[in-house]
Amino acid sequence: MKTLLVLGLSFFLLLMNDGAARALEVAEGLITTGVIDHRPVDNVQGWPAASGPLSCFTRILGAEEPTTIFHVWYWGDREMARIELRVGHSPWNTWSVKTLEAGWTGDWRVEVVDETGQLLRSIPFTLF
């Protein structure tokens, strides 16, 4: 009986931890030309290549304790950068910055993933 109780409690705690990891949510995610006072200045869908760096801004909800997310920048299917970002609590605004070269035109996206690699949001944009 004691073993069954321990197994049941372990399973419950596993479910609770799994639920906490899935609780992270990207409430807002966009590409912007800058961030001022922890807010994006605009929302870029397309951008001339080599016109300056772009930022990926995310507003994260659901963090009950400090955790980590990643902004993974892709040009087509090629990973160009993986930026680790700390999330302290909920809500939490964070962003990464990427300088994009003139020859890197085409479809881009930033995948926001949690520390287990679970995709939270994909944010597409185009360089022309």
Side-chain angles (χ1 to χ4, degrees):
M1 179 69 174
K2 190 175 186 179
T3 303
L4 190 55
L5 180 62
V6 170
L7 286 174
L9 182 58
S10 298
F11 182 71
F12 175 74
L13 291 174
L14 180 64
L15 288 176
M16 291 294 292
N17 287 339
D18 191 336
R22 286 187 306 217
L24 283 184
E25 172 188 343
V26 179
E28 183 179 10
L30 55 88
I31 303 300
T32 181
T33 58
V35 177
I36 297 175
D37 294 329
H38 299 275
R39 295 296 307 152
V41 298
D42 53 15
N43 185 354
V44 172
Q45 307 285 318
W47 185 249
S51 293
L54 289 175
S55 298
C56 177
F57 172 88
T58 50
R59 181 171 176 82
I60 306 296
L61 301 178
E64 295 179 4
E65 60 185 42
T67 189
T68 301
I69 64 167
F70 296 87
H71 285 177
V72 187
W73 293 72
Y74 286 95
W75 175 29
D77 290 329
R78 182 176 171 192
E79 183 177 319
M80 302 298 284
R82 178 175 295 262
I83 301 169
E84 181 176 335
L85 299 164
R86 180 183 162 277
V87 175
H89 54 75
S90 180
W92 190 267
N93 294 350
T94 190
W95 58 93
S96 60
V97 180
K98 179 82 176 115
T99 300
L100 303 161
E101 302 293 329
W104 296 351
T105 58
D107 293 330
W108 282 76
R109 73 184 181 283
V110 177
E111 291 188 352
V112 183
V113 297
D114 68 13
E115 58 191 0
T116 69
Q118 179 179 338
L119 179 65
L120 302 174
R121 168 88 56 99
S122 183
I123 306 164
F125 66 100
T126 302
L127 282 187
F128 52 87

